[in-house]
Amino acid sequence: MESQGIRTVTGKELWDAKTIQRMLTNEKYKGDTILQKTFTEDFMIGKKSKNIGQRNQYYVKDSHPAIVSAEIFDKVQEEMDKRARFVSKEYGTVETSGIKYNGKYLLGNLLVCGDCGASYRRRTERGKVVWRCATRIEKGKETCPHSPTVDEGWVQGVLSEAICHKGIYDEGIIRNEVDKVQIFDTIILIFRNNGSQKKVLFQDD
């Protein structure tokens, strides 16, 4: 973009990595909108807070003309998630990062397929944000036929009730308390860092 003389939205000639990353992860570029990313916590002083589960969010599909196709946008998200799990080493080699929480989404570090052991990946389908087994995404349903697709809001609700205080979704508490969440076709198992487990019946379709 710099070579083509395209400026940023604020008129800068140089594009920094953070600006480009925000563009690559902003659903508005594929024509969709997530409502209530932030909310006003105190109307008297106008204090706004990031919505990480305290309020409902609403995903509006095709709310405006897209700049890039949904297919390209979703592939970019998958590629960014993959790269977040690896670190570059000398001589051009890469290896899995030792940092447990190294992706953009906390659930991407926790959700594990109970059938094949692969991690779950975040996707947007028909206006809903869901998580699906990576093996099933890459190799097809027949390679992991018993792995369910789970709704993000439902998973957050389950973790809120099982882990968080007063049932309010709090990523900080979940990060400290949960080791992994194993997903089977009829149940999910929440493994806590203290060694205990909790079984939750899978959502009804």
Side-chain angles (χ1 to χ4, degrees):
M1 288 181 284
E2 292 175 358
S3 63
Q4 297 178 25
I6 300 174
R7 295 174 179 263
T8 69
V9 68
T10 57
K12 296 180 180 179
E13 294 181 355
L14 298 178
W15 290 77
D16 59 58
K18 287 185 178 180
T19 299
I20 295 173
Q21 186 174 33
R22 282 196 296 268
M23 291 174 61
L24 294 176
T25 57
N26 190 337
E27 77 287 343
K28 289 184 174 64
Y29 284 88
K30 69 169 182 174
D32 299 346
T33 302
I34 296 178
L35 303 179
Q36 208 157 259
K37 289 182 178 179
T38 62
F39 65 96
T40 302
E41 190 171 340
D42 189 328
F43 286 95
M44 296 297 293
I45 60 175
K47 179 183 178 182
K48 287 191 174 182
S49 299
K50 184 178 180 181
N51 186 1
I52 55 173
Q54 306 96 316
R55 301 286 190 277
N56 290 329
Q57 289 188 334
Y58 304 93
Y59 195 100
V60 182
K61 190 173 178 62
D62 299 325
S63 60
H64 55 277
I67 296 176
V68 298
S69 70
E71 181 181 7
I72 292 176
F73 183 89
D74 290 340
K75 284 183 178 179
V76 169
Q77 309 315 301
E78 291 179 16
E79 184 62 28
M80 290 178 68
D81 186 58
K82 285 181 184 177
R83 295 187 183 190
R85 297 173 184 272
F86 293 89
V87 292
S88 299
K89 306 296 287 185
E90 58 184 344
Y91 308 119
T93 60
V94 295
E95 65 180 30
T96 303
S97 171
I99 301 173
K100 181 177 179 181
Y101 299 106
N102 56 359
K104 178 182 177 183
Y105 302 103
L106 174 63
L107 293 180
N109 296 284
L110 297 178
L111 303 186
V112 178
C113 178
D115 194 22
C116 72
S119 61
Y120 263 54
R121 292 184 189 165
R122 191 176 193 264
R123 299 173 66 85
T124 302
E125 299 179 352
R126 295 186 292 276
K128 293 179 62 177
V129 179
V130 298
W131 290 82
R132 181 173 294 162
C133 168
T135 300
R136 186 167 178 170
I137 291 174
E138 294 182 355
K139 299 181 180 180
K141 181 178 179 180
E142 62 278 4
T143 59
C144 193
H146 303 298
S147 60
T149 298
V150 294
D151 179 83
E152 183 175 81
W154 180 79
V155 176
Q156 290 176 341
V158 167
L159 292 173
S160 298
E161 291 295 325
I163 305 297
C164 300
H165 303 308
K166 298 181 180 179
I168 299 175
Y169 185 74
D170 188 318
E171 286 196 349
I173 294 175
I174 294 170
R175 183 177 287 109
N176 291 329
E177 295 287 334
V178 179
D179 178 55
K180 66 179 178 180
V181 179
Q182 204 165 21
I183 302 178
F184 296 84
D185 57 346
T186 58
I187 64 169
I188 67 171
L189 289 178
I190 302 172
F191 293 80
R192 304 187 68 152
N193 290 325
N194 62 10
S196 64
Q197 299 178 20
K198 182 176 179 61
K199 180 173 70 173
V200 180
L201 292 177
F202 190 67
Q203 64 185 21
D204 294 327
D205 293 329

